[in-house]
Amino acid sequence: MAVSVSVFLGFFLGLVLVGLVSSAKFDQLFQPSWANDHFVYEGELLKLKLDHYSGAGFSSKSRYMFGKVTIQIKLVEGDSAGTVTAFYMSSDGPNHNEFDFEFLGNTTGEPYTIQTNIYVNGVGNREQRLNLWFDPTKEFHSYSLFWNQRHVLFLVDDTPIRVHSNMENKGLPFPKDQPMGVYSSIWNADDWATQGGRVKTDWSHAPFIATYTGFQIDACEVPASVAATESAKNCSSSGVKRYWWDEPTLAELNVHQSHQLKWVRARHMVYDYCTDTARFPVMPLECVHHRH
């Protein structure tokens, strides 16, 4: 198994663990899902275009249970108000699970906002928003989703910005029984994306372009023919079969990651559904029990 040397996975050096490490080639992992004529391929780079005719999107060729998915993205430059670039994982059906990154465009000079959301058994409404501590339009940055049976982590350049913990012991469902595809897209959402829809898309700046590279999936691939209950079993460590995402060191954040998350929340979070008493007069149960 190839092992990442990032801070997040650095402590696995020397271990031989089972996992799927996929190539960084787009066409080996993904395929266009709509508006193929809005795709531009430039060597290792992929560009998705949004104009007044259409946006565009792609999806993974396989589904996965547990592991880590990373894409490097350079977001739309200049006046991106009204646009949304999304990177997410989702299962199928009305009772689906979903982990969302949504990058909400803004007028020139204003910070990009990341909105994250989590759906469990078809129920979402768990939005958090934060402003990034860098300009995501100037360079590529890595956006990752890490998922095991203990928690879901949202990471920006391997810095955790959100944790959703397994609290089944509190009677709360956790997304661990449905394999998920990996998706990304760009589209017009000027009815809500920028300042609640007050700022509309300026089509004179079109086409709006999001640029991608560094596609990596280190996760358990699930064949379409395998039932969901079996896929969860097949992708979990047992006996001599050890998956890296089940290692005890990944059951919770380490001290450094906990400090990073606290810094992000204190300095950059601008909205948390857990504190929105207008939407939720009674605090959602996972917010009551959550440690972060």
Side-chain angles (χ1 to χ4, degrees):
M1 169 187 171
V3 181
S4 170
V5 294
S6 68
V7 171
F8 184 62
L9 298 181
F11 38 77
F12 289 116
L13 289 173
L15 291 179
V16 179
L17 300 172
V18 179
L20 171 69
V21 180
S22 294
S23 166
K25 302 287 187 180
F26 170 79
D27 58 1
Q28 291 179 342
L29 298 175
F30 296 95
Q31 59 195 359
S33 50
W34 55 288
N36 199 9
D37 60 342
H38 282 56
F39 283 65
V40 177
Y41 302 92
E42 296 181 356
E44 296 296 313
L45 302 183
L46 167 67
K47 296 184 176 182
L48 295 191
K49 298 193 301 181
L50 166 66
D51 56 28
H52 64 282
Y53 294 107
S54 179
F58 60 82
S59 60
S60 60
K61 295 180 178 179
S62 298
R63 299 178 304 159
Y64 302 91
M65 285 283 293
F66 311 132
K68 187 181 182 186
V69 178
T70 299
I71 296 181
Q72 295 179 36
I73 308 174
K74 186 188 296 183
L75 295 172
V76 177
E77 291 189 85
D79 188 344
S80 58
T83 71
V84 173
T85 305
F87 163 48
Y88 61 103
M89 297 183 71
S90 181
S91 58
D92 300 324
N95 296 319
H96 73 293
N97 299 326
E98 186 173 327
F99 315 140
D100 294 337
F101 276 107
E102 291 180 315
F103 305 95
L104 313 183
N106 219 323
T107 52
T108 303
E110 294 295 319
Y112 250 89
T113 300
I114 289 186
Q115 175 170 284
T116 60
N117 199 1
I118 297 171
Y119 286 75
V120 183
N121 295 337
V123 179
N125 298 322
R126 297 180 176 91
E127 297 91 348
Q128 291 182 354
R129 291 186 180 186
L130 59 90
N131 291 330
L132 289 166
W133 51 95
F134 54 83
D135 185 342
T137 72
K138 299 303 182 185
E139 304 289 343
F140 286 101
H141 291 270
S142 295
Y143 304 94
S144 305
L145 291 163
F146 170 77
W147 175 33
N148 64 14
Q149 296 190 64
R150 298 295 297 273
H151 51 205
V152 179
L153 303 184
F154 293 73
L155 302 121
V156 175
D157 293 331
D158 275 330
T159 295
I161 66 166
R162 181 171 186 171
V163 180
H164 182 78
S165 300
N166 185 332
M167 290 182 280
E168 290 177 305
N169 62 334
K170 305 293 185 181
L172 295 165
F174 182 77
K176 66 174 190 179
D177 59 353
Q178 298 181 40
M180 305 175 82
V182 185
Y183 304 87
S184 188
S185 57
I186 184 171
W187 79 95
N188 178 45
D190 66 4
D191 57 330
W192 65 271
T194 305
Q195 298 180 33
R198 290 188 294 274
V199 180
K200 302 300 182 181
T201 303
D202 183 349
W203 293 108
S204 69
H205 295 291
F208 302 99
I209 296 175
T211 308
Y212 298 77
T213 191
F215 304 90
Q216 187 174 13
I217 297 177
D218 188 350
C220 186
E221 186 173 1
V222 176
S225 58
V226 175
T229 52
E230 284 300 306
S231 64
K233 179 181 177 181
N234 293 342
C235 294
S236 300
S237 299
S238 61
V240 297
K241 180 180 65 176
R242 295 172 59 206
Y243 287 113
W244 68 264
W245 48 84
D246 288 331
E247 285 300 289
T249 45
L250 289 179
E252 59 185 9
L253 298 183
N254 61 37
V255 173
H256 177 63
Q257 291 169 328
S258 294
H259 289 162
Q260 288 179 313
L261 180 62
K262 290 177 181 177
W263 175 80
V264 168
R265 292 180 61 89
R267 298 290 186 89
H268 298 282
M269 181 168 284
V270 294
Y271 175 81
D272 184 359
Y273 77 106
C274 286
T275 60
D276 190 340
T277 55
R279 287 179 66 196
F280 303 102
V282 177
M283 182 179 287
L285 193 56
E286 68 262 25
C287 301
V288 174
H289 295 298
H290 212 281
R291 291 174 297 175
H292 298 290

